[in-house]
Amino acid sequence: MKPKATIQNVLQPLLNKLFNQNLDISDATNRVVIHTLRHTFASHLAIEGTPILTIKKLMNHSDINHTLRYAKLMPDSGREIVERLYE
């Protein structure tokens, strides 16, 4: 029986060819894996000011604490609102 094609099975060989040549398989710090793409996606959402609860939903995180790691990348969106109070 042929193994079921998954995103992991299809994309990881391509990621290895493009980014992971000459890296040891145990080099988790520098290897590009599918999770790297998820992390990059969530980071870009945060940088663009996407609400944290929207990121949580899109990432399908069960716990907001998993999502809060991206909050540090978010622009200071509340600052303009507070400054407008005193104009």
Side-chain angles (χ1 to χ4, degrees), residues 54-71:
T54 302
I55 297 172
K56 178 185 180 294
K57 182 176 180 179
L58 290 170
M59 297 302 291
N60 199 29
H61 287 159
S62 59
D63 184 342
I64 191 68
N65 289 314
H66 296 289
T67 315
L68 287 175
R69 73 181 80 177
Y70 301 104

Side-chain angles (χ1 to χ4, degrees), residues 14-23 30-32 37:
L14 179 60
L15 294 174
N16 289 341
K17 183 177 179 181
L18 293 173
F19 303 107
N20 297 330
Q21 289 186 6
N22 303 320
L23 287 178
N30 295 306
R31 291 185 63 76
V32 175
L37 301 176

Side-chain angles (χ1 to χ4, degrees), residues 6-84:
T6 64
I7 291 174
Q8 175 75 29
N9 291 342
V10 173
L11 288 182
Q12 193 58 56
L14 179 60
L15 294 174
N16 289 341
K17 183 177 179 181
L18 293 173
F19 303 107
N20 297 330
Q21 289 186 6
N22 303 320
L23 287 178
D24 189 85
I25 193 77
S26 64
D27 186 357
T29 302
N30 295 306
R31 291 185 63 76
V32 175
V33 295
I34 299 299
H35 190 264
T36 308
L37 301 176
R38 275 181 56 84
H39 181 69
T40 301
F41 175 67
S43 295
H44 283 257
L45 288 171
I47 289 166
E48 291 300 315
T50 305
I52 200 74
L53 291 176
T54 302
I55 297 172
K56 178 185 180 294
K57 182 176 180 179
L58 290 170
M59 297 302 291
N60 199 29
H61 287 159
S62 59
D63 184 342
I64 191 68
N65 289 314
H66 296 289
T67 315
L68 287 175
R69 73 181 80 177
Y70 301 104
K72 66 180 180 247
L73 301 172
M74 300 177 87
D76 192 11
S77 59
R79 183 178 182 156
E80 303 88 28
I81 296 167
V82 172
E83 287 175 348
R84 276 188 265 145

